[in-house]
Amino acid sequence: DAGVTQSPTHLIKTRGQQVTLRCSPKSGHDTVSWYQQALGQGPQFIFQYYEEEERQRGNFPDRFSGHQFPNYSSELNVNALLLGDSALYLCASSLWGYSNQPQHFGDGTRLSIL
Amino acid sequence: LAKTTQPISMDSYEGQEVNITCSHNNIATNDYITWYQQFPSQGPRFIIQGYKTKVTNEVASLFIPADRKSSTLSLPRVSLSDTAVYYCLVGDTPGRGKNTGTASKLTFGTGTRLQVTL
């Protein structure tokens, strides 16, 4: 039973560039959430996708956008990268409507902005 | 979403029982309490979840008093490999079933950094 997988594991970009991160949810899950985790901090919710639509969004600017595909996998896009975007980006999957069931996390993509 | 407060750090020796208490004074009626464990450069891992009284699984116990304003994660006989950050979260639970609500967005605090030594 495959868990949540994310790619790439590490990425280095420069300010102003754009980046795309990818996530495949755990088998059987249909909802994907993205989180940003700065060094020494807890993960912060970015947004959540279900049925290829953004359902909830945290306090992140429009530079952060996403997409969900018919197979439930998801992408996180960040435009006009800033130094402050350096973080571990985590993807979590769950089953829509069963919000008291735990979310399953991938091991993240470490994004470094130079 | 209810805010949680937990100690920033704790130290323990291998083989001891560790209890991490989390305060959530504004917990709502439908909120569940969930604990995650996170190792460096890895995603959070689900440990245990409960609503009231006591829940036990193969790795931990969760104690929740009647007023539910706090909860205590208990790790029996910790080992070096239990060194990690532990997060306590509370979240709304609209209910089961595809037509009754959304999937939760989790609100993490800064967590408790547990250091286990020999």
Side-chain angles (χ1 to χ4, degrees), chain A residues 4-94:
Chain A
V4 178
T5 58
Q6 294 186 243
S7 63
T9 54
H10 295 83
L11 202 52
I12 300 175
K13 292 286 188 179
T14 58
R15 282 179 297 175
Q17 285 189 312
Q18 178 265 342
V19 69
T20 297
L21 311 180
R22 295 176 176 82
C23 171
S24 291
K26 177 181 168 64
S27 177
H29 284 178
D30 57 10
T31 303
V32 173
S33 301
W34 287 92
Y35 294 80
Q36 180 195 64
Q37 186 173 25
L39 203 60
Q41 302 296 316
Q44 301 299 307
F45 175 77
I46 302 175
F47 45 52
Q48 178 185 84
Y49 277 83
Y50 169 66
E51 287 188 333
E52 303 178 47
E53 291 186 14
E54 183 181 295
R55 299 292 177 158
Q56 298 190 74
R57 189 177 182 93
N59 188 26
F60 280 80
D62 292 344
R63 298 187 297 108
F64 290 78
S65 63
H67 188 78
Q68 186 180 34
F69 300 93
N71 66 353
Y72 309 121
S73 67
S74 176
E75 288 182 350
L76 164 65
N77 301 292
V78 187
N79 295 322
L81 287 166
L82 305 173
L83 292 178
D85 295 331
S86 293
L88 180 67
Y89 287 85
L90 296 162
C91 169
S93 72
S94 54

Coordinates of all heavy atoms in Angstrom, one line a residue, chain A residues 4-94:
Chain A
V4 N 2.0 8.4 0.7 CA 2.0 9.7 0.0 C 3.5 9.9 -0.6 O 4.4 9.8 0.2 CB 1.7 10.9 0.9 CG1 1.8 12.2 0.1 CG2 0.3 10.7 1.5
T5 N 3.6 10.1 -1.8 CA 4.9 10.4 -2.4 C 5.0 11.7 -3.0 O 4.0 12.2 -3.6 CB 5.2 9.3 -3.5 OG1 4.2 9.4 -4.5 CG2 5.2 7.9 -2.9
Q6 N 6.1 12.4 -2.8 CA 6.4 13.7 -3.3 C 7.6 13.8 -4.1 O 8.6 13.1 -3.9 CB 6.5 14.7 -2.2 CG 5.2 14.9 -1.4 CD 5.3 16.0 -0.3 OE1 5.2 15.7 0.9 NE2 5.5 17.2 -0.8
S7 N 7.6 14.7 -5.1 CA 8.8 14.8 -5.9 C 8.9 16.3 -6.4 O 7.9 17.0 -6.5 CB 8.8 13.9 -7.2 OG 7.7 14.3 -8.0
P8 N 10.2 16.8 -6.6 CA 11.4 16.1 -6.2 C 11.6 16.2 -4.7 O 10.8 16.8 -4.0 CB 12.5 17.0 -6.9 CG 11.9 18.3 -6.9 CD 10.4 18.1 -7.1
T9 N 12.7 15.6 -4.2 CA 12.9 15.6 -2.7 C 13.6 16.9 -2.4 O 13.4 17.5 -1.3 CB 13.8 14.4 -2.3 OG1 15.0 14.4 -3.1 CG2 13.0 13.1 -2.4
H10 N 14.5 17.4 -3.3 CA 15.2 18.7 -3.0 C 15.2 19.5 -4.3 O 15.2 18.9 -5.4 CB 16.7 18.4 -2.6 CG 16.8 17.7 -1.3 ND1 16.8 16.4 -1.2 CD2 17.1 18.2 -0.1 CE1 16.9 16.0 0.1 NE2 17.1 17.1 0.8
L11 N 15.2 20.8 -4.1 CA 15.1 21.7 -5.3 C 15.8 23.0 -4.9 O 15.6 23.5 -3.8 CB 13.7 21.9 -5.7 CG 13.3 22.4 -7.1 CD1 14.0 21.5 -8.1 CD2 11.8 22.4 -7.2
I12 N 16.6 23.5 -5.8 CA 17.3 24.8 -5.6 C 16.8 25.8 -6.7 O 17.0 25.4 -7.9 CB 18.8 24.7 -5.5 CG1 19.2 23.8 -4.4 CG2 19.4 26.1 -5.4 CD1 20.7 23.5 -4.3
K13 N 16.3 26.9 -6.3 CA 15.9 27.9 -7.3 C 16.5 29.3 -6.9 O 17.0 29.5 -5.8 CB 14.4 28.0 -7.3 CG 13.7 26.8 -7.9 CD 13.8 26.7 -9.4 CE 13.0 25.6 -10.0 NZ 13.1 25.6 -11.5
T14 N 16.4 30.3 -7.8 CA 16.8 31.6 -7.5 C 15.5 32.5 -7.4 O 14.5 32.2 -7.9 CB 17.7 32.2 -8.6 OG1 17.1 32.1 -9.8 CG2 19.0 31.3 -8.6
R15 N 15.7 33.7 -6.8 CA 14.6 34.6 -6.7 C 14.0 35.0 -8.0 O 14.7 35.1 -9.0 CB 15.1 35.9 -6.0 CG 15.3 35.8 -4.5 CD 15.8 37.1 -3.9 NE 17.1 37.4 -4.4 CZ 17.8 38.5 -4.2 NH1 17.2 39.4 -3.4 NH2 18.9 38.8 -4.7
G16 N 12.7 35.0 -8.0 CA 12.0 35.4 -9.3 C 11.5 34.2 -10.1 O 10.7 34.4 -11.0
Q17 N 12.2 33.1 -9.9 CA 11.8 31.9 -10.7 C 10.5 31.3 -10.3 O 9.9 31.7 -9.3 CB 12.9 30.9 -10.6 CG 14.2 31.2 -11.4 CD 15.1 30.0 -11.4 OE1 15.4 29.4 -10.4 NE2 15.6 29.7 -12.6
Q18 N 10.0 30.3 -11.0 CA 8.8 29.6 -10.7 C 9.1 28.1 -10.4 O 10.1 27.6 -10.9 CB 7.9 29.7 -11.9 CG 6.5 29.0 -11.8 CD 6.6 27.6 -12.4 OE1 7.4 27.3 -13.2 NE2 5.6 26.8 -12.0
V19 N 8.3 27.5 -9.6 CA 8.6 26.1 -9.2 C 7.3 25.3 -9.2 O 6.2 25.9 -8.9 CB 9.3 26.0 -7.9 CG1 8.4 26.4 -6.7 CG2 9.9 24.6 -7.7
T20 N 7.4 24.0 -9.6 CA 6.2 23.1 -9.5 C 6.6 21.9 -8.7 O 7.6 21.3 -9.0 CB 5.8 22.7 -10.9 OG1 5.4 23.8 -11.6 CG2 4.6 21.7 -10.8
L21 N 5.9 21.6 -7.6 CA 6.1 20.5 -6.8 C 4.9 19.5 -7.0 O 3.8 19.9 -7.2 CB 6.2 20.9 -5.3 CG 7.1 22.0 -5.0 CD1 7.1 22.3 -3.5 CD2 8.5 21.8 -5.5
R22 N 5.2 18.2 -6.9 CA 4.2 17.2 -7.2 C 4.0 16.2 -6.0 O 4.8 16.0 -5.2 CB 4.7 16.4 -8.4 CG 4.7 17.2 -9.7 CD 5.3 16.5 -10.9 NE 5.2 17.4 -12.1 CZ 6.1 18.3 -12.4 NH1 7.2 18.5 -11.6 NH2 6.0 19.0 -13.5
C23 N 2.7 15.7 -6.0 CA 2.3 14.9 -4.9 C 1.4 13.8 -5.4 O 0.4 14.1 -6.2 CB 1.6 15.7 -3.8 SG 0.8 14.7 -2.6
S24 N 1.6 12.5 -5.0 CA 0.7 11.5 -5.3 C 0.1 11.0 -3.9 O 0.8 10.7 -3.0 CB 1.4 10.3 -6.0 OG 1.7 10.6 -7.3
P25 N -1.2 11.0 -3.8 CA -1.8 10.7 -2.5 C -1.7 9.2 -2.2 O -1.5 8.4 -3.0 CB -3.3 11.1 -2.6 CG -3.5 11.0 -4.1 CD -2.3 11.4 -4.8
K26 N -2.0 8.9 -0.9 CA -2.1 7.5 -0.5 C -3.2 6.8 -1.3 O -4.2 7.4 -1.5 CB -2.3 7.5 1.0 CG -2.5 6.1 1.6 CD -2.8 6.2 3.1 CE -3.3 4.9 3.7 NZ -2.3 3.9 3.7
S27 N -3.0 5.5 -1.6 CA -4.0 4.8 -2.3 C -5.4 4.8 -1.5 O -5.4 4.6 -0.3 CB -3.5 3.3 -2.4 OG -4.5 2.6 -3.0
G28 N -6.4 5.2 -2.3 CA -7.7 5.2 -1.7 C -8.1 6.6 -1.2 O -9.3 6.9 -0.9
H29 N -7.2 7.6 -1.1 CA -7.5 8.9 -0.7 C -7.8 9.8 -1.9 O -7.3 9.6 -3.0 CB -6.3 9.5 0.0 CG -6.2 9.0 1.4 ND1 -5.2 9.4 2.3 CD2 -6.9 8.2 2.2 CE1 -5.3 8.8 3.4 NE2 -6.4 8.0 3.4
D30 N -8.7 10.8 -1.7 CA -9.1 11.6 -2.8 C -8.9 13.1 -2.6 O -9.2 14.0 -3.4 CB -10.6 11.4 -3.1 CG -11.5 11.6 -1.9 OD1 -11.0 12.1 -0.9 OD2 -12.7 11.2 -2.0
T31 N -8.4 13.5 -1.4 CA -8.2 14.9 -1.0 C -6.7 15.1 -0.7 O -6.1 14.3 0.0 CB -9.0 15.2 0.2 OG1 -10.4 14.9 0.0 CG2 -8.9 16.7 0.6
V32 N -6.2 16.2 -1.3 CA -4.8 16.6 -1.1 C -4.7 17.9 -0.4 O -5.3 18.9 -0.9 CB -4.0 16.5 -2.4 CG1 -2.6 17.1 -2.2 CG2 -4.0 15.1 -2.9
S33 N -3.9 18.0 0.6 CA -3.6 19.3 1.3 C -2.1 19.6 1.2 O -1.3 18.7 1.2 CB -4.0 19.3 2.7 OG -5.4 19.0 2.9
W34 N -1.8 20.9 1.1 CA -0.4 21.3 1.0 C -0.1 22.2 2.2 O -0.9 23.0 2.6 CB -0.1 22.1 -0.3 CG -0.1 21.2 -1.5 CD1 -1.1 21.0 -2.4 CD2 1.1 20.6 -2.1 NE1 -0.7 20.2 -3.4 CE2 0.7 19.9 -3.2 CE3 2.4 20.5 -1.7 CZ2 1.5 19.2 -4.1 CZ3 3.3 19.8 -2.5 CH2 2.9 19.1 -3.7
Y35 N 1.2 22.0 2.8 CA 1.6 22.7 3.9 C 3.0 23.2 3.6 O 3.8 22.6 3.0 CB 1.7 21.8 5.2 CG 0.3 21.4 5.6 CD1 -0.3 20.3 5.0 CD2 -0.4 22.0 6.7 CE1 -1.6 19.8 5.4 CE2 -1.6 21.6 7.1 CZ -2.2 20.5 6.5 OH -3.4 20.1 6.9
Q36 N 3.4 24.4 4.2 CA 4.7 24.9 4.2 C 5.3 24.9 5.6 O 4.6 25.3 6.5 CB 4.7 26.4 3.7 CG 6.0 27.0 3.6 CD 5.9 28.5 3.5 OE1 5.5 29.2 4.4 NE2 6.4 29.1 2.4
Q37 N 6.5 24.3 5.7 CA 7.1 24.3 7.0 C 8.5 25.0 7.0 O 9.4 24.4 6.4 CB 7.3 22.8 7.5 CG 7.8 22.7 8.9 CD 7.8 21.3 9.4 OE1 7.9 20.3 8.7 NE2 7.7 21.2 10.8
A38 N 8.6 26.1 7.6 CA 9.8 26.8 7.7 C 10.7 26.1 8.8 O 10.1 25.5 9.7 CB 9.6 28.3 8.1
L39 N 12.0 26.4 8.8 CA 12.9 25.7 9.7 C 12.5 26.1 11.1 O 12.3 27.3 11.5 CB 14.3 26.2 9.4 CG 15.4 25.3 9.9 CD1 15.3 23.9 9.3 CD2 16.8 25.9 9.6
G40 N 12.3 25.1 12.0 CA 12.0 25.3 13.4 C 10.6 25.6 13.7 O 10.2 25.9 14.9
Q41 N 9.7 25.6 12.7 CA 8.3 25.9 12.9 C 7.4 24.7 12.5 O 7.9 23.8 11.9 CB 7.9 27.1 12.0 CG 8.7 28.3 12.2 CD 8.5 28.9 13.6 OE1 7.4 29.0 14.1 NE2 9.6 29.3 14.2
G42 N 6.2 24.8 13.0 CA 5.2 23.7 12.6 C 4.7 24.0 11.2 O 4.8 25.1 10.7
P43 N 4.2 23.0 10.5 CA 3.7 23.2 9.2 C 2.5 24.2 9.2 O 1.7 24.2 10.1 CB 3.2 21.8 8.8 CG 4.0 20.8 9.7 CD 4.1 21.6 11.0
Q44 N 2.4 25.0 8.1 CA 1.3 25.9 7.9 C 0.5 25.5 6.7 O 1.1 25.3 5.6 CB 1.9 27.3 7.7 CG 2.8 27.8 8.9 CD 2.0 27.9 10.2 OE1 0.9 28.5 10.3 NE2 2.5 27.2 11.2
F45 N -0.8 25.5 6.8 CA -1.7 25.1 5.8 C -1.7 26.1 4.6 O -1.9 27.3 4.8 CB -3.1 24.9 6.4 CG -4.2 24.6 5.4 CD1 -4.3 23.3 4.9 CD2 -5.1 25.6 4.9 CE1 -5.3 23.0 4.0 CE2 -6.1 25.3 4.1 CZ -6.2 24.0 3.6
I46 N -1.5 25.6 3.4 CA -1.6 26.4 2.2 C -2.9 26.3 1.6 O -3.6 27.3 1.4 CB -0.5 26.0 1.2 CG1 0.9 26.1 1.8 CG2 -0.5 27.0 0.0 CD1 2.0 25.6 0.9
F47 N -3.3 25.2 1.1 CA -4.6 24.9 0.5 C -4.9 23.5 0.4 O -4.0 22.6 0.6 CB -4.8 25.6 -0.9 CG -3.7 25.5 -1.8 CD1 -3.1 24.3 -2.2 CD2 -3.2 26.7 -2.4 CE1 -2.1 24.2 -3.1 CE2 -2.1 26.6 -3.3 CZ -1.6 25.3 -3.7
Q48 N -6.1 23.2 0.0 CA -6.6 21.8 -0.1 C -7.4 21.6 -1.4 O -8.2 22.5 -1.8 CB -7.5 21.5 1.1 CG -8.1 20.2 1.2 CD -9.1 20.2 2.4 OE1 -10.2 20.6 2.3 NE2 -8.6 19.7 3.6
Y49 N -7.3 20.5 -2.0 CA -8.0 20.1 -3.2 C -8.8 18.9 -3.1 O -8.4 17.9 -2.5 CB -6.9 20.0 -4.4 CG -6.5 21.3 -5.0 CD1 -5.5 22.1 -4.4 CD2 -7.2 21.8 -6.1 CE1 -5.2 23.3 -4.9 CE2 -6.8 23.0 -6.6 CZ -5.8 23.8 -6.0 OH -5.4 25.0 -6.6
Y50 N -10.0 19.0 -3.7 CA -10.9 17.8 -3.8 C -11.7 18.0 -5.1 O -12.1 19.1 -5.4 CB -11.8 17.7 -2.6 CG -12.9 16.7 -2.7 CD1 -12.6 15.4 -2.8 CD2 -14.2 17.2 -2.8 CE1 -13.7 14.5 -2.9 CE2 -15.3 16.3 -2.9 CZ -15.0 14.9 -3.0 OH -16.0 14.0 -3.1
E51 N -11.8 16.9 -5.8 CA -12.6 16.9 -7.1 C -12.0 18.0 -8.0 O -12.8 18.8 -8.6 CB -14.1 17.1 -6.8 CG -14.7 15.8 -6.3 CD -16.2 15.9 -6.3 OE1 -16.8 17.0 -6.2 OE2 -16.9 14.8 -6.3
E52 N -10.7 18.1 -8.0 CA -10.0 19.1 -8.9 C -10.3 20.5 -8.6 O -10.0 21.4 -9.5 CB -10.3 18.7 -10.3 CG -9.9 17.3 -10.7 CD -10.3 16.9 -12.1 OE1 -9.9 17.7 -13.0 OE2 -10.9 15.8 -12.3
E53 N -10.8 20.8 -7.4 CA -11.1 22.2 -7.1 C -10.4 22.6 -5.7 O -10.4 21.7 -4.8 CB -12.6 22.4 -6.9 CG -13.4 22.4 -8.2 CD -14.8 22.8 -8.1 OE1 -15.2 23.3 -7.0 OE2 -15.6 22.5 -9.0
E54 N -10.0 23.8 -5.6 CA -9.5 24.3 -4.4 C -10.7 24.5 -3.4 O -11.6 25.2 -3.7 CB -8.8 25.6 -4.5 CG -8.1 26.1 -3.3 CD -7.4 27.5 -3.5 OE1 -6.5 27.5 -4.2 OE2 -7.9 28.5 -2.9
R55 N -10.6 23.8 -2.2 CA -11.7 23.8 -1.3 C -11.5 24.7 -0.1 O -12.4 25.3 0.5 CB -12.0 22.4 -0.8 CG -12.4 21.4 -1.9 CD -13.7 21.7 -2.5 NE -14.0 20.9 -3.7 CZ -15.3 20.6 -4.1 NH1 -16.3 21.2 -3.5 NH2 -15.5 19.8 -5.1
Q56 N -10.3 24.8 0.4 CA -9.9 25.6 1.5 C -8.6 26.2 1.2 O -7.8 25.7 0.5 CB -9.8 24.8 2.8 CG -11.1 24.2 3.2 CD -11.0 23.6 4.6 OE1 -11.0 24.3 5.6 NE2 -10.9 22.3 4.7
R57 N -8.3 27.4 1.8 CA -7.1 28.1 1.6 C -6.6 28.7 2.8 O -7.4 29.3 3.6 CB -7.2 29.1 0.4 CG -5.9 29.7 0.0 CD -6.0 30.7 -1.2 NE -4.8 31.2 -1.6 CZ -4.0 30.7 -2.6 NH1 -4.5 29.6 -3.2 NH2 -2.9 31.1 -2.9
G58 N -5.3 28.7 3.1 CA -4.8 29.3 4.2 C -4.3 30.7 3.9 O -4.6 31.2 2.8
N59 N -3.6 31.4 4.7 CA -3.2 32.8 4.5 C -1.9 32.8 3.7 O -0.8 33.2 4.1 CB -2.9 33.4 5.9 CG -2.7 34.9 5.7 OD1 -3.2 35.5 4.8 ND2 -2.0 35.5 6.7
F60 N -2.0 32.5 2.4 CA -0.9 32.5 1.5 C -1.3 33.3 0.3 O -2.4 33.3 -0.2 CB -0.5 31.1 1.0 CG 0.4 30.4 2.0 CD1 -0.2 29.8 3.2 CD2 1.7 30.4 1.9 CE1 0.6 29.2 4.1 CE2 2.5 29.7 2.8 CZ 2.0 29.1 3.9
P61 N -0.3 34.1 -0.3 CA -0.6 35.0 -1.5 C -1.0 34.2 -2.7 O -0.7 32.9 -2.8 CB 0.7 35.8 -1.7 CG 1.7 34.9 -1.1 CD 1.1 34.2 0.1
D62 N -1.5 34.9 -3.7 CA -1.9 34.2 -5.0 C -0.7 33.7 -5.7 O -0.9 32.9 -6.7 CB -2.6 35.3 -5.9 CG -3.9 35.6 -5.3 OD1 -4.4 34.9 -4.4 OD2 -4.5 36.7 -5.7
R63 N 0.5 34.0 -5.3 CA 1.7 33.4 -6.0 C 1.7 31.9 -5.8 O 2.3 31.2 -6.6 CB 3.0 33.9 -5.4 CG 3.2 35.4 -5.6 CD 4.6 35.8 -5.1 NE 4.8 35.6 -3.7 CZ 5.6 34.6 -3.2 NH1 6.3 33.8 -4.0 NH2 5.8 34.5 -1.9
F64 N 1.0 31.4 -4.8 CA 0.8 30.0 -4.5 C -0.4 29.5 -5.2 O -1.5 30.0 -4.9 CB 0.8 29.7 -3.0 CG 2.1 30.0 -2.3 CD1 2.5 31.3 -2.0 CD2 2.9 28.9 -2.0 CE1 3.7 31.5 -1.4 CE2 4.1 29.1 -1.3 CZ 4.5 30.4 -1.0
S65 N -0.3 28.6 -6.1 CA -1.5 28.0 -6.8 C -1.3 26.5 -6.9 O -0.2 26.0 -6.7 CB -1.7 28.6 -8.1 OG -0.6 28.3 -9.0
G66 N -2.4 25.9 -7.2 CA -2.3 24.4 -7.2 C -3.2 23.8 -8.3 O -4.0 24.5 -9.0
H67 N -3.1 22.5 -8.4 CA -4.0 21.8 -9.3 C -4.1 20.4 -8.8 O -3.2 19.8 -8.2 CB -3.3 21.8 -10.7 CG -4.2 21.3 -11.8 ND1 -5.2 22.0 -12.3 CD2 -4.2 20.0 -12.4 CE1 -5.8 21.2 -13.3 NE2 -5.2 20.0 -13.3
Q68 N -5.3 19.8 -9.1 CA -5.5 18.4 -8.8 C -5.9 17.7 -10.1 O -6.8 18.2 -10.8 CB -6.5 18.1 -7.7 CG -6.6 16.7 -7.3 CD -7.6 16.4 -6.2 OE1 -8.6 17.1 -6.1 NE2 -7.3 15.4 -5.3
F69 N -5.4 16.6 -10.4 CA -5.7 15.8 -11.6 C -6.8 14.7 -11.3 O -7.0 14.4 -10.2 CB -4.4 15.2 -12.1 CG -3.4 16.2 -12.4 CD1 -2.4 16.6 -11.5 CD2 -3.4 16.8 -13.7 CE1 -1.5 17.5 -11.8 CE2 -2.4 17.8 -14.0 CZ -1.5 18.1 -13.0
P70 N -7.4 14.2 -12.4 CA -8.4 13.2 -12.2 C -8.0 12.0 -11.4 O -8.8 11.3 -10.8 CB -8.8 12.8 -13.6 CG -8.5 14.0 -14.4 CD -7.3 14.6 -13.8
N71 N -6.7 11.7 -11.4 CA -6.2 10.5 -10.6 C -5.9 10.9 -9.2 O -5.3 10.1 -8.4 CB -5.0 9.9 -11.3 CG -3.8 10.8 -11.3 OD1 -3.9 12.0 -10.9 ND2 -2.6 10.3 -11.7
Y72 N -6.3 12.1 -8.8 CA -6.2 12.7 -7.4 C -4.8 13.2 -7.1 O -4.6 13.8 -6.0 CB -6.5 11.6 -6.3 CG -7.9 11.0 -6.5 CD1 -8.0 9.6 -6.7 CD2 -9.0 11.8 -6.6 CE1 -9.3 9.0 -6.9 CE2 -10.3 11.2 -6.8 CZ -10.4 9.8 -7.0 OH -11.6 9.2 -7.2
S73 N -3.8 13.0 -8.0 CA -2.5 13.6 -7.7 C -2.6 15.1 -7.8 O -3.6 15.7 -8.3 CB -1.5 13.1 -8.7 OG -1.7 13.5 -10.0
S74 N -1.6 15.8 -7.3 CA -1.7 17.3 -7.2 C -0.3 17.9 -7.5 O 0.7 17.3 -7.3 CB -2.2 17.6 -5.8 OG -2.2 19.0 -5.6
E75 N -0.4 19.2 -7.9 CA 0.8 20.0 -8.0 C 0.6 21.3 -7.2 O -0.5 21.8 -7.1 CB 1.0 20.4 -9.5 CG 1.4 19.2 -10.4 CD 1.7 19.7 -11.8 OE1 1.3 20.8 -12.2 OE2 2.2 18.9 -12.6
L76 N 1.7 21.8 -6.7 CA 1.8 23.1 -6.1 C 2.7 23.9 -6.9 O 3.9 23.5 -7.2 CB 2.4 22.9 -4.6 CG 2.8 24.2 -4.0 CD1 1.7 25.2 -3.7 CD2 3.5 23.9 -2.6
N77 N 2.3 25.1 -7.3 CA 3.0 26.0 -8.1 C 3.3 27.3 -7.3 O 2.4 27.8 -6.6 CB 2.3 26.4 -9.4 CG 2.0 25.2 -10.3 OD1 2.9 24.6 -10.8 ND2 0.7 24.8 -10.4
V78 N 4.5 27.7 -7.3 CA 4.9 29.0 -6.7 C 5.6 29.9 -7.7 O 6.6 29.5 -8.3 CB 5.8 28.8 -5.5 CG1 5.9 30.2 -4.7 CG2 5.2 27.8 -4.5
N79 N 5.0 31.1 -8.0 CA 5.6 32.0 -8.9 C 6.4 33.1 -8.2 O 6.2 33.3 -7.0 CB 4.5 32.7 -9.7 CG 3.7 31.7 -10.6 OD1 4.3 30.8 -11.2 ND2 2.4 31.9 -10.7
A80 N 7.3 33.7 -8.9 CA 8.0 34.9 -8.4 C 8.6 34.6 -7.0 O 8.3 35.3 -6.0 CB 7.1 36.1 -8.3
L81 N 9.4 33.6 -7.0 CA 10.0 33.1 -5.7 C 10.7 34.1 -4.9 O 11.5 34.9 -5.5 CB 10.9 31.9 -6.0 CG 10.2 30.6 -6.4 CD1 11.2 29.6 -7.0 CD2 9.4 30.0 -5.2
L82 N 10.5 34.1 -3.6 CA 11.2 35.0 -2.7 C 12.1 34.2 -1.8 O 11.9 33.0 -1.6 CB 10.2 35.8 -1.8 CG 9.1 36.6 -2.6 CD1 8.1 37.1 -1.6 CD2 9.7 37.7 -3.4
L83 N 13.1 34.8 -1.2 CA 13.9 34.1 -0.3 C 13.1 33.4 0.8 O 13.5 32.3 1.3 CB 15.0 35.1 0.3 CG 16.0 35.6 -0.6 CD1 16.9 36.6 0.1 CD2 16.8 34.5 -1.3
G84 N 12.1 34.1 1.3 CA 11.2 33.6 2.4 C 10.4 32.4 2.0 O 9.8 31.8 2.9
D85 N 10.4 32.0 0.7 CA 9.7 30.8 0.3 C 10.6 29.5 0.6 O 10.1 28.4 0.3 CB 9.4 30.8 -1.2 CG 8.4 31.9 -1.5 OD1 7.6 32.3 -0.6 OD2 8.4 32.5 -2.6
S86 N 11.8 29.7 1.0 CA 12.6 28.5 1.3 C 12.0 27.8 2.5 O 11.8 28.4 3.6 CB 14.0 29.0 1.7 OG 14.7 29.6 0.6
A87 N 11.7 26.5 2.3 CA 11.0 25.8 3.3 C 10.9 24.3 2.9 O 11.2 24.0 1.7 CB 9.6 26.3 3.6
L88 N 10.3 23.5 3.8 CA 9.9 22.1 3.4 C 8.5 22.2 3.1 O 7.6 22.6 3.8 CB 10.2 21.2 4.6 CG 9.8 19.7 4.4 CD1 10.7 19.1 3.4 CD2 9.9 19.0 5.8
Y89 N 8.1 21.7 1.9 CA 6.7 21.7 1.4 C 6.2 20.3 1.5 O 6.7 19.4 0.9 CB 6.6 22.2 0.0 CG 6.9 23.7 0.0 CD1 8.2 24.3 -0.1 CD2 5.8 24.6 0.1 CE1 8.4 25.6 -0.1 CE2 6.0 26.0 0.1 CZ 7.3 26.5 0.0 OH 7.5 27.8 0.0
L90 N 5.1 20.2 2.3 CA 4.6 18.9 2.7 C 3.2 18.7 2.0 O 2.4 19.6 1.9 CB 4.4 18.7 4.2 CG 5.7 18.8 5.0 CD1 5.3 19.1 6.5 CD2 6.4 17.4 4.9
C91 N 3.0 17.5 1.5 CA 1.7 17.2 1.0 C 1.0 16.1 1.9 O 1.7 15.2 2.4 CB 1.9 16.6 -0.4 SG 0.4 15.8 -1.1
A92 N -0.3 16.3 2.2 CA -1.0 15.3 3.0 C -2.2 14.9 2.3 O -2.9 15.7 1.6 CB -1.4 16.0 4.3
S93 N -2.6 13.6 2.4 CA -3.8 13.1 1.7 C -4.8 12.6 2.8 O -4.4 12.2 3.9 CB -3.5 12.1 0.7 OG -3.1 10.9 1.3
S94 N -6.0 12.6 2.4 CA -7.1 12.2 3.3 C -8.3 11.8 2.4 O -8.3 11.9 1.2 CB -7.5 13.2 4.3 OG -7.8 14.5 3.6

